Amino acid sequence: MKDLHEMTDEQLALSYIDGNNRAFDLLLQRNQSKLFSYILFVVRDREKAEDIFQDTFVKVITKLHARKYTTSGKFSAWIMRIAHNVIMDTYREQKSENIVEAGEDNDLTHINPQNILDSNIESQYINDQVLRDVKRIMDKLPASQREVVFMRYYQDMSFKEIAETTGVSINTSLGRMRYAVLNMRRMAKEHKIELQLD
């Protein structure tokens, strides 16, 4: 039998379904940071994000125990879809169409620009400033546009995965991205912000 650390997430999920609890511990360890970052970015409130994160993993465990997981796609996309549904359920319960106002700690600082950019020290300052400007502009986008930008550029998901995760068509995902880019360009122009990395 393969060592757990050599298994893919999909193999770990199947191993957990077959009764290996350590497989789930490793799945959680591998996916919790990415999933929590996504939830926090969408809901923009740490306490609410923690609740949604816990609800998501309760649903993940329940679905795995019910054998409702198949390896037809990436495990990470599957749990992102569950998280998306939990977020939508939360907002339906609140009967609110708006994302909760941003908390003081939600400015995407958990995303390290050094992981995104490979540049020399001289241009790093400029690149850091551009990324700060982009993050501020992204915070002003409508929730559906902010979500698709985050999934595409910070989670590196394909438009097909984004469509599946958010429960819309690929064309809708592409449309949201298009409008997000147009809105970001408009806001950058209005505020005379140069969004070019060196």
Side-chain angles (χ1 to χ4, degrees):
M1 183 180 198
K2 256 187 180 178
D3 180 293
L4 287 179
H5 293 280
E6 295 173 7
M7 290 182 175
T8 65
D9 285 356
E10 293 72 28
Q11 291 169 327
L12 286 171
L14 294 176
S15 181
Y16 175 67
I17 289 169
D18 290 338
N20 187 340
N21 289 332
R22 285 189 2 214
F24 184 79
D25 294 341
L26 188 54
L27 268 177
L28 177 61
Q29 180 185 338
R30 285 183 186 175
N31 290 282
Q32 66 184 0
S33 177
K34 181 177 179 180
L35 185 66
F36 185 77
S37 295
Y38 161 68
I39 294 168
L40 180 61
F41 188 75
V42 175
V43 301
R44 303 174 70 169
D45 177 276
R46 183 166 291 279
E47 191 174 311
K48 187 179 292 297
E50 288 169 357
D51 290 343
I52 290 171
F53 178 81
Q54 289 174 6
D55 289 349
T56 298
F57 265 96
V58 167
K59 286 190 185 287
V60 167
I61 290 168
T62 303
K63 287 179 183 289
L64 288 172
H65 279 288
R67 299 187 176 271
K68 291 185 178 177
Y69 173 73
T70 59
T71 57
S72 58
K74 282 186 180 176
F75 179 79
S76 60
W78 184 70
I79 61 172
M80 295 270 285
R81 170 76 180 169
I82 293 170
H84 172 81
N85 290 339
V86 172
I87 292 167
M88 293 303 109
D89 290 345
T90 300
Y91 289 123
R92 278 188 209 105
E93 287 170 13
Q94 293 176 351
K95 296 183 181 181
S96 169
E97 295 178 6
N98 297 322
I99 297 295
V100 174
E101 287 302 315
E104 290 177 36
D105 62 341
N106 186 39
D107 62 358
L108 295 182
T109 54
H110 59 282
I111 298 171
N112 186 345
Q114 281 76 22
N115 293 339
I116 300 168
L117 305 171
D118 184 67
S119 60
N120 62 40
I121 294 171
E122 190 175 304
S123 64
Q124 189 64 46
Y125 174 79
I126 295 168
N127 289 337
D128 287 347
Q129 182 60 50
V130 169
L131 287 173
R132 281 193 297 273
D133 291 340
V134 167
K135 291 172 190 175
R136 277 199 308 276
I137 290 173
M138 280 177 65
D139 274 346
K140 295 182 186 331
L141 290 173
S144 60
Q145 293 174 23
R146 189 172 60 246
E147 181 179 41
V148 77
V149 169
F150 185 79
M151 288 178 165
R152 182 73 186 110
Y153 291 105
Y154 292 99
Q155 300 281 332
D156 199 28
M157 294 172 70
S158 70
F159 283 104
K160 181 175 187 265
E161 291 170 328
I162 293 168
E164 289 170 357
T165 300
T166 57
V168 299
S169 70
I170 291 178
N171 286 342
T172 300
S173 295
L174 290 167
R176 287 177 179 173
M177 177 60 79
R178 179 176 172 270
Y179 285 115
V181 170
L182 291 173
N183 283 331
M184 289 177 73
R185 283 182 181 154
R186 178 184 50 76
M187 286 186 272
K189 189 175 181 181
E190 285 173 4
H191 299 285
K192 296 179 175 41
I193 296 171
E194 182 64 43
L195 298 179
Q196 173 121 11
L197 295 175
D198 284 349

